[in-house]
């Protein structure tokens, strides 16, 4: 005749813990059934009649104390031994469990051998029948508990709980040195991980990703997008090795990163030889059109000056086209394993078309952006230019900072008057 395996009902609302415990008990030779809360466990106990119940205390719908009380007061189930598992090693928690009728306690974290020993002890020496017990009034720390247990059962339970706490303390003491070393290593890994997140994403987005693992999409009524693209890049690519290609793009894009960050823009992405950044997000502000044009002027100046230096450099000189547009966008993070911070909307598409219709080392802006920056920069109207899928769009070339607002002859550096007007715009925005 085949020997019947003892059946244990494991109750916990954390699937990972249930899976782990179930695996360990099966390996030990037990049959295991599971439930995710006290109510489900009670129904399962009535239909399956397990040999023992191993239940967590803190669960939704019906907690471990309530489950224990219901089982012990059911004449058909009262003989089933119950072990309650809790991370709260307090007098109140222990006494609430005893009052509910638990037969033993496990406090988290516990080692496997302690778990197996308590299960085996209760299977070999099951608790006395419920109708043989008397209610005893127990006062501890100013609270009164009505305990349904005989003297020996109560003492054994308290001694068992005490032993479990001692064993737990010994185990924790042994683990402490190893944990300290592991914690230091984990802290370094965590810092590296967080630094990487902060380097890839804007601060506000990084904080949300680290805290919640996701970012709520947002609609921005006002943002400025800048697109850049290198003219003649496809002709240069075949002449470069993979290493030289990456080094060349890095040479340009690293400088673009420096410039955009200096002017309160965030880099969105690069696609091939295209570079995309945005102003006015994730932190909203009123100066993003001006910030974007200042960045565009410096990017253009960097590329122009490199055209002379490139004669003695292995990095090829690549003229740049720049497009800028201001409007509405939707911002969010997509992906589960590889996060990507991105923006969508017609504003993005129009900024890309403005870049296509720009010229070498020129900054081409929309009329919307022009109206926001015309008091600060010298702009040249290009008239309405026909664009694919959009029709005729008024466009403007940005030449420089206005002479009366510029600190230098090239029109790159704002003077005090420029900065004063810029700060006035900031104050106006803050007051709104």
């Amino acid at each position: 005749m085949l020997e019947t395996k003892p059946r244990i009902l494991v109750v916990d609302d954390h699937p990972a813990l249930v899976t782990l415990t179930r695996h360990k008990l099966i390996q030990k030779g037990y049959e295991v059934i599971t439930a995710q809360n006290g109510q489900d466990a009670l129904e399962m106990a009535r239909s399956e009649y397990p040999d023992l119940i191993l239940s967590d205390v803190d669960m939704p719908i019906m907690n471990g104390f309530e489950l224990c009380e219901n089982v012990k007061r059911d004449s058909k189930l009262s003989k089933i031994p119950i072990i309650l598992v809790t991370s709260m090693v307090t007098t109140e928690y222990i006494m609430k469990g005893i009052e509910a009728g638990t037969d033993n306690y496990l406090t988290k974290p516990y080692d496997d051998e302690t778990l197996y020993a308590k299960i085996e002890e209760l299977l070999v020496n099951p608790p006395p029948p419920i109708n043989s017990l008397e209610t005893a009034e127990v006062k501890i720390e100013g609270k009164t508990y009505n305990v349904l247990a005989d003297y020996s059962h109560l003492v054994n339970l308290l001694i068992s709980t005490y032993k479990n706490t001692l064993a737990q303390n010994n185990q924790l003491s042994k683990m402490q040195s190893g944990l300290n070393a592991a914690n230091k290593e984990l802290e370094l890994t965590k810092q590296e991980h967080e630094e990487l997140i902060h380097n890839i994403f804007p601060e506000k987005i990084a904080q949300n990703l680290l805290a919640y693992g996701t970012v709520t999409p947002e609609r921005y009524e006002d943002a400025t997008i800048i697109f850049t693209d290198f003219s003649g890049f496809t002709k240069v690519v075949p002449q470069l090795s993979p290493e030289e290609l990456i080094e060349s793009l890095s040479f340009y894009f690293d400088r673009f990163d420096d410039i955009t960050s200096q002017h309160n823009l965030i880099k969105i992405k690069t696609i091939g030889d295209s570079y995309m950044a945005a102003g006015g997000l994730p932190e909203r502000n009123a100066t993003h059109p001006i910030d974007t044009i200042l960045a565009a002027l410096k990017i253009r100046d960097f590329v122009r000056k490199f055209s002379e230096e490139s004669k003695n450099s292995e990095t090829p000189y690549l003229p740049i086209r720049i497009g800028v547009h201001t409007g509405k966008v939707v911002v969010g993070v997509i992906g589960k394993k590889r996060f990507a911070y991105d923006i969508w909307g017609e504003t993005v598409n129009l900024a890309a078309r403005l870049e296509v219709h720009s010229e070498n080392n020129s900054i081409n802006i929309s009329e919307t952006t022009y109206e926001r920056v015309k008091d600060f920069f010298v702009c040249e109207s290009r008239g309405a230019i026909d664009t694919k899928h959009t029709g005729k769009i008024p466009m403007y070339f940005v030449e420089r900072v206005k002479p009366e607002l510029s600190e230098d002859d090239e029109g790159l550096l704002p003077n005090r008057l420029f900065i004063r007007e810029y700060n006035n715009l900031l104050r106006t925005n803050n007051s709104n």
Side-chain angles (χ1 to χ4, degrees):
M1 181 180 292
L2 293 174
E3 183 179 350
T4 303
K5 295 180 179 179
R7 179 184 293 182
I8 298 176
L9 172 57
V10 176
V11 191
D12 201 307
D13 61 328
H14 290 87
L17 293 177
V18 171
T19 301
L20 181 62
T21 305
R22 179 176 177 274
H23 175 74
K24 290 179 178 179
L25 293 177
I26 289 175
Q27 291 294 316
K28 196 66 177 176
Y30 299 111
E31 183 181 342
V32 180
I33 54 178
T34 60
Q36 62 180 349
N37 58 63
Q39 183 172 299
D40 290 348
L42 184 59
E43 293 175 3
M44 190 169 291
R46 287 169 176 163
S47 62
E48 301 293 333
Y49 201 82
D51 295 290
L52 183 141
I53 298 175
L54 177 67
S55 175
D56 190 33
V57 169
D58 297 310
M59 296 181 294
I61 303 178
M62 180 187 288
N63 63 38
F65 295 138
E66 294 167 333
L67 169 62
C68 184
E69 187 172 355
N70 276 279
V71 168
K72 291 302 182 180
R73 277 146 182 77
D74 188 318
S75 59
K76 296 181 180 180
L77 305 178
S78 61
K79 293 182 180 180
I80 300 175
I82 297 181
I83 300 176
L84 290 181
V85 182
T86 179
S87 58
M88 296 290 289
V89 189
T90 64
T91 302
E92 183 179 1
Y93 252 61
I94 292 173
M95 292 308 301
K96 281 183 69 175
I98 294 174
E99 191 174 35
T102 186
D103 299 296
N104 218 314
Y105 252 111
L106 266 176
T107 49
K108 300 176 184 177
Y110 55 83
D111 62 89
D112 294 345
E113 293 307 316
T114 300
L115 170 64
Y116 301 147
K118 287 182 178 291
I119 290 175
E120 189 63 24
E121 178 185 349
L122 286 173
L123 290 176
V124 173
N125 301 302
I130 194 73
N131 56 15
S132 68
L133 303 178
E134 295 182 359
T135 301
E137 190 176 277
V138 179
K139 291 185 178 180
I140 299 179
E141 296 179 353
K143 292 185 178 181
T144 301
Y145 301 91
N146 294 309
V147 179
L148 191 64
D150 63 12
Y151 180 79
S152 61
H153 175 254
L154 182 58
V155 171
N156 287 335
L157 179 56
L158 291 174
I159 291 174
S160 177
T161 303
Y162 175 69
K163 287 181 177 179
N164 182 51
T165 304
L166 286 180
Q168 187 180 45
N169 288 339
N170 290 334
Q171 183 72 13
L172 289 173
S173 179
K174 292 177 182 178
M175 295 171 59
Q176 192 63 52
S177 58
L179 285 174
N180 288 339
N183 283 337
K184 288 180 181 179
E185 187 173 341
L186 285 172
E187 184 62 30
L188 290 174
T189 303
K190 177 187 173 186
Q191 289 176 2
E192 291 174 356
H193 172 70
E194 290 183 355
E195 286 175 4
L196 180 61
I197 294 291
H198 282 286
N199 286 335
I200 295 175
F201 299 101
E203 181 66 21
K204 177 181 175 182
I205 303 303
Q207 289 176 356
N208 278 276
L209 280 176
L210 289 169
Y212 309 112
T214 186
V215 176
T216 303
E218 291 186 75
R219 185 181 301 278
Y220 286 74
E221 296 297 321
D222 196 34
T224 300
I225 311 300
I226 176 173
F227 262 102
T228 77
D229 190 68
F230 293 115
S231 177
F233 179 74
T234 54
K235 296 180 180 179
V236 173
V237 170
Q239 305 172 20
L240 301 175
S241 67
E243 293 79 10
E244 290 172 334
L245 175 62
I246 298 301
E247 287 178 4
S248 298
L249 288 176
S250 295
F251 169 77
Y252 286 100
F253 290 161
D254 287 352
R255 183 64 182 128
F256 293 0
D257 285 346
D258 292 339
I259 293 170
T260 53
S261 63
Q262 288 168 9
H263 290 282
N264 203 29
L265 308 186
I266 61 168
K267 175 183 176 180
I268 302 299
K269 58 186 172 183
T270 59
I271 307 173
D273 64 319
S274 297
Y275 182 97
M276 179 183 178
L281 53 93
E283 301 296 340
R284 292 173 169 82
N285 61 71
T287 59
H288 54 84
I290 299 169
D291 296 330
T292 304
I293 299 304
L294 286 172
L297 286 171
K298 287 189 178 179
I299 288 174
R300 184 186 65 178
D301 180 65
F302 164 70
V303 174
R304 278 178 174 176
K305 288 181 178 178
F306 182 67
S307 66
E308 296 297 325
E309 301 171 6
S310 64
K311 297 174 183 178
N312 300 318
S313 172
E314 295 181 359
T315 301
Y317 161 64
L318 297 169
I320 194 169
R321 298 189 304 264
I322 301 175
V324 178
H325 178 54
T326 302
K328 301 177 182 179
V329 296
V330 173
V331 180
V333 174
I334 57 174
K336 292 183 178 180
K337 294 184 178 179
R338 294 186 177 182
F339 294 118
Y341 181 67
D342 211 342
I343 57 178
W344 300 268
E346 186 56 32
T347 298
V348 178
N349 298 332
L350 188 50
R353 293 191 185 103
L354 285 160
E355 174 270 307
V356 170
H357 288 277
S358 186
E359 295 178 0
N360 288 353
N361 294 335
S362 295
I363 303 167
N364 191 32
I365 69 173
S366 67
E367 188 169 37
T368 305
T369 304
Y370 167 76
E371 291 297 331
R372 301 281 289 275
V373 303
K374 63 183 181 181
D375 294 335
F376 292 86
F377 302 96
V378 176
C379 301
E380 175 190 347
S381 175
R382 302 181 64 196
I385 296 178
D386 195 23
T387 60
K388 188 177 180 180
H389 303 307
T390 309
K392 292 185 178 294
I393 298 177
M395 298 184 188
Y396 299 79
F397 277 144
V398 179
E399 301 296 338
R400 53 165 291 162
V401 174
K402 284 189 172 183
E404 64 272 23
L405 301 178
S406 178
E407 188 75 24
D408 63 328
D409 294 335
E410 294 177 332
L412 291 173
L413 300 176
N415 63 16
R416 291 181 179 180
L417 182 58
F418 184 110
I419 295 171
R420 186 182 69 187
E421 295 302 319
Y422 179 92
N423 288 335
N424 286 338
L425 189 60
L426 276 178
R427 283 192 289 271
T428 302
N429 177 63
N430 292 335
S431 65
N432 293 333

